Amino acid sequence: MPSNTPCLEVAISITKEPTDFEKLQQQAHRDLTAFPGFISGLALRNLEDEATHADLILWASEASALSAAKSIQQDERFASFMQSIESVTHFAHYSGASLEAMNQLAKSPVIEITAYKTMLESNVTELRSLIYKALRSIEGASPQVAGTCIDNASALLDLIGWQDKMLPETAPGMLMKNQPEVESFFSNIGDIDVKALFEVAT
């Protein structure tokens, strides 16, 4: 990955004490702003499970993201935050994000995070472009990040903003009806690591 390409860190965790965690999460995000390469961050909480939280951190490069991840483990400012986590269910770095996308997601009442594998070996970029174009025609949908894991090109990430939590349930059927050519993409989805709805934690 070129050094000037933004890198999105996605961490999803189960917390020990949800109420206390949100305060620690907000402080951790404030402390992250001092790290070299930090661009933007979103602290999220799951709509259905108060113990599940997500952190989206946009770094200037893969190098700055990896450096920060290593430094946090030894930085006392993050000790309480790390200790408040019961388990980490997903942690990966992706290309395909931007500051504009992060700002748009922050405005969405509902943010869908889907991390999954694709079994397709070709036309992945083209099919995802068609899907995102079709999504933009759906009222209340705001597709923002079509990410690809920096360590595994078959591991993909979709970050989509929605106006309400019912839309993600009906959107796939609408996409298949309006863009039948994307059927091969959906039929070749492999393991789904994450598929959940979040909101910005304030």
Side-chain angles (χ1 to χ4, degrees), residues 15 51 71 78-79 101 128 141 151 168 187 191-192 196 199:
T15 67
S71 298
F78 298 91
R128 292 181 90 193
D151 297 321
S187 63
D191 294 336
I192 298 176
E199 64 182 353

Side-chain angles (χ1 to χ4, degrees), residues 17 29 31 42 129 140 152 164 188 199:
E17 297 292 339
H29 277 249
D31 290 334
L42 282 176
S129 295
N152 182 356
D164 68 65
N188 279 283
E199 64 182 353

Side-chain angles (χ1 to χ4, degrees), residues 123-136 146 179 182 185:
N123 298 326
V124 175
T125 300
E126 293 82 354
L127 289 171
R128 292 181 90 193
S129 295
L130 285 175
I131 291 169
Y132 270 56
K133 181 180 179 180
L135 277 171
R136 293 188 185 97
Q179 298 281 349
V182 303
F185 182 87

Side-chain angles (χ1 to χ4, degrees), residues 20-202:
D20 295 336
F21 179 80
E22 290 197 7
K23 297 176 184 177
L24 295 170
Q25 186 183 31
Q26 295 291 345
Q27 184 58 52
H29 277 249
R30 286 192 288 271
D31 290 334
L32 283 173
T33 62
F35 278 63
F38 176 88
I39 296 177
S40 178
L42 282 176
L44 308 176
R45 58 172 167 250
N46 189 283
L47 289 181
E48 306 295 337
D49 178 11
E50 65 175 7
T52 300
H53 286 71
D55 296 290
L56 308 179
I57 310 296
L58 186 64
W59 299 97
S61 65
E62 177 185 350
S64 56
L66 296 178
S67 175
K70 183 177 180 180
S71 298
I72 287 170
Q73 303 296 324
Q74 304 166 344
D75 193 317
E76 283 299 317
R77 290 176 295 176
F78 298 91
S80 295
F81 173 72
M82 300 299 289
Q83 291 166 8
S84 69
I85 296 174
E86 183 72 39
S87 62
V88 176
T89 59
H90 184 79
F91 184 85
H93 293 99
Y94 298 89
S95 61
S98 67
L99 178 57
E100 180 182 1
M102 295 287 281
N103 290 339
Q104 289 300 317
L105 284 172
K107 299 175 184 177
S108 299
V110 178
I111 298 172
E112 177 183 353
I113 300 178
T114 305
Y116 56 100
K117 305 293 192 307
T118 180
M119 296 181 289
L120 285 173
E121 296 182 357
S122 62
N123 298 326
V124 175
T125 300
E126 293 82 354
L127 289 171
R128 292 181 90 193
S129 295
L130 285 175
I131 291 169
Y132 270 56
K133 181 180 179 180
L135 277 171
R136 293 188 185 97
S137 69
I138 298 176
E139 185 175 357
S142 178
Q144 293 299 327
V145 177
T148 302
C149 184
I150 62 173
D151 297 321
N152 182 356
S154 68
L156 306 178
L157 173 78
D158 290 323
L159 296 183
I160 304 170
W162 301 96
Q163 284 303 305
D164 68 65
K165 63 181 182 180
M166 299 305 295
L167 278 169
E169 297 182 13
T170 59
M174 296 174 65
L175 286 177
M176 296 288 286
K177 181 179 179 180
N178 297 334
Q179 298 281 349
E181 61 269 36
V182 303
E183 189 278 333
S184 63
F185 182 87
F186 290 107
S187 63
N188 279 283
I189 289 177
D191 294 336
I192 298 176
D193 297 326
V194 181
K195 186 174 179 60
L197 302 179
F198 294 82
E199 64 182 353
V200 176
T202 56

